[in-house]
Amino acid sequence: MQYRRLGKTGYEVSAVGFGAWAIGGAWGDVSDDDAMVALNTAVDVGVTFFDTADVYGDGRSERFIAKLRQERPDAPMVVATKAGRRLDPHVVDGYNAQNLTAFVARSLKNLKTESIDLLQLHCPPTEAYYRPDVFEALDNMVTDGIIRRYGVSVEKVEEALKAIEYPGVSTVQIIFNAFRQRPAELFFREAKARDVGIIVRVPLASGLLSGKMSRQSSFAADDHRSFNRHGEAFDRGETFAGVDFESGLDAVEEIRPLVPEGATMAQLALRWILMFDAVSTTIPGARNAEQAAQNAAAADLAPLPDQTMEKITEIYEQRIKDQVHHLW
Ligand SMILES: NC(=O)c1ccc[n+]([C@@H]2O[C@H](COP(=O)([O-])OP(=O)(O)OC[C@H]3O[C@@H](n4cnc5c(N)ncnc54)[C@H](OP(=O)(O)O)[C@@H]3O)[C@@H](O)[C@H]2O)c1
């Protein structure tokens, strides 16, 4: 495993972390045993960064992580959770000190801890980034000691660029992968200049970039890859990175010959992300031990050759860019 600085948080975290959405809910059935084995495997192979949210399985994911901390008291861990999505309706005025404090109190209970390592706003409406009072509320929570650091999880590059103007914002979580390349254009440079840690989510484009899917693939009714393909429940960009499934499959076939010998396509997808040194960590979701181990091992692959990097850019430009670049 490689370890990288998480920007100005002062934390040093594994370059491949663990995305704990799938073990919470919205990805079909994942048993308690599979979830705990996946988490323990991640610890065994050197993963130290865990990303969850209060809404993943309505707290189920946070509670698994609390259990992991109890079972592995000596393992170094940085746990990031998120707040905001319990708001109903999900509106900017809900992002106030009172609501955020209540959400954090619930997460502290689920996570069985006194203070949250990293709290992220959970893709708030764009307007929240133009409301200094939201960030003041977060600063006050740091002063009160209920959170140690905070950051934002964003949908759009523009939101990320605005968020990092607030000095208390230590991290930005954003979608970045071979099918979502825009963050590398300007945002990475700006974040680096301000020492903001970058957490890359949806690195496998919801599994599409693992190369295991086909036109015949089907998903359970309670898996967002069934129910959110067109953004029916939340932002469309969160499902298959916003790429139309069938054209994504065609692009995947063009990427397949680039997989290094002895590696898997999922590992190529993750290693591609880690080629960008502005990235602190990437957080693939894993629903079993095998995925957790395979994903972590991607950090140990040799750097990808220039020709591979160039070819992936070319595939993006020819097949994907028009679908996504202007949207996020
Ligand atoms: N708004 C937000 O802040 C937000 C939104 C989305 C995600 N996130 C965070 O980012 C994390 C990662 O994103 P994600 O989980 O949406 O997408 P992802 O990491 O791109 O895809 C994860 C899925 O890919 C499949 N997979 C994982 N490893 C694999 C491997 N080695 N080989 C083959 N298939 C593999 C698994 O599903 P199957 O086995 O079922 O195919 C897994 O659930 C989440 O867990 C969450 O922590 C945050």
Side-chain angles (χ1 to χ4, degrees):
M1 180 55 71
Q2 293 175 29
Y3 296 87
R4 297 186 179 187
R5 277 183 78 246
L6 186 57
K8 58 185 160 185
T9 62
Y11 299 131
E12 183 93 5
V13 295
S14 52
V16 176
F18 188 103
W21 181 18
I23 61 167
W27 287 78
D29 195 33
V30 180
S31 70
D32 289 11
D33 278 355
D34 277 351
M36 285 314 298
V37 172
L39 286 169
N40 272 292
T41 302
V43 170
D44 292 339
V45 294
V47 169
T48 64
F49 185 73
F50 295 83
D51 177 77
T52 181
D54 56 357
V55 287
Y56 295 165
D58 198 25
R60 181 179 186 231
S61 172
E62 288 184 328
R63 290 190 291 274
F64 282 138
I65 288 177
K67 190 157 185 260
L68 179 71
R69 266 183 159 158
Q70 276 178 334
E71 287 177 6
R72 308 293 292 265
D74 299 329
M77 280 182 215
V78 173
V79 175
T81 191
K82 310 189 195 80
R85 288 277 158 171
R86 301 189 69 73
L87 291 169
D88 183 16
H90 181 239
V91 292
V92 68
D93 286 334
Y95 282 79
N96 57 49
Q98 193 187 354
N99 286 336
L100 289 171
T101 306
F103 296 150
V104 166
R106 189 173 176 277
S107 287
L108 289 172
K109 238 187 230 163
N110 280 336
L111 287 166
K112 295 201 167 91
T113 186
E114 305 283 297
S115 186
I116 284 165
D117 297 334
L118 180 69
L119 181 77
Q120 304 160 101
L121 297 183
H122 200 165
C123 293
T126 303
E127 204 190 327
Y129 300 100
Y130 296 85
R131 298 268 290 257
D133 52 303
V134 174
F135 297 88
E136 261 169 50
L138 292 165
D139 286 330
N140 290 337
M141 286 199 258
V142 174
T143 307
D144 293 345
I146 57 172
I147 64 175
R148 295 194 176 90
R149 301 278 182 272
Y150 69 84
V152 291
S153 182
V154 302
E155 299 290 5
K156 293 172 187 285
V157 167
E158 287 73 13
E159 294 169 341
L161 289 167
K162 182 66 194 163
I164 62 174
E165 288 180 14
Y166 296 93
V169 171
S170 305
T171 59
V172 170
Q173 183 180 133
I174 194 162
I175 299 182
F176 176 62
N177 60 44
F179 288 171
R180 286 286 288 273
Q181 300 198 16
R182 187 163 164 235
E185 277 179 359
L186 168 67
F187 170 61
F188 282 4
R189 196 168 64 235
E190 294 295 317
K192 246 176 111 170
R194 290 168 196 259
D195 200 17
V196 169
I198 295 178
I199 300 164
V200 167
R201 77 168 180 272
V202 195
L204 300 174
S206 315
L208 186 53
L209 280 167
S210 74
K212 69 179 177 190
M213 292 175 184
S214 71
R215 283 175 168 71
Q216 282 70 49
S217 298
S218 63
F219 303 93
D222 58 347
D223 185 323
H224 70 102
R225 294 170 293 186
S226 281
F227 69 75
N228 194 54
R229 277 200 191 189
H230 307 287
E232 295 89 334
F234 43 82
D235 194 282
R236 189 166 65 80
E238 306 294 347
T239 301
F240 300 128
V243 173
D244 156 69
F245 184 64
E246 308 231 325
S247 53
L249 287 174
D250 295 339
V252 160
E253 287 319 310
E254 268 203 73
I255 296 175
R256 200 182 294 282
L258 305 172
V259 176
E261 212 179 311
T264 65
M265 191 157 172
Q267 289 174 325
L268 165 68
L270 297 172
R271 191 66 186 88
W272 182 89
I273 291 164
L274 296 180
M275 291 296 288
F276 296 80
D277 67 353
V279 172
S280 306
T281 183
T282 180
I283 48 168
R287 47 197 290 148
N288 56 47
E290 194 197 333
Q291 289 179 352
Q294 197 195 109
N295 295 343
D300 300 324
L301 289 188
L304 299 176
D306 290 348
Q307 304 91 291
T308 298
M309 298 304 289
E310 283 157 19
K311 184 69 189 166
I312 290 177
T313 304
E314 191 187 307
I315 295 167
Y316 174 73
E317 303 234 327
Q318 287 178 356
R319 292 187 174 270
I320 305 290
K321 188 174 180 178
D322 286 353
Q323 292 185 44
V324 298
H325 209 75
H326 58 297
L327 293 177
W328 298 282

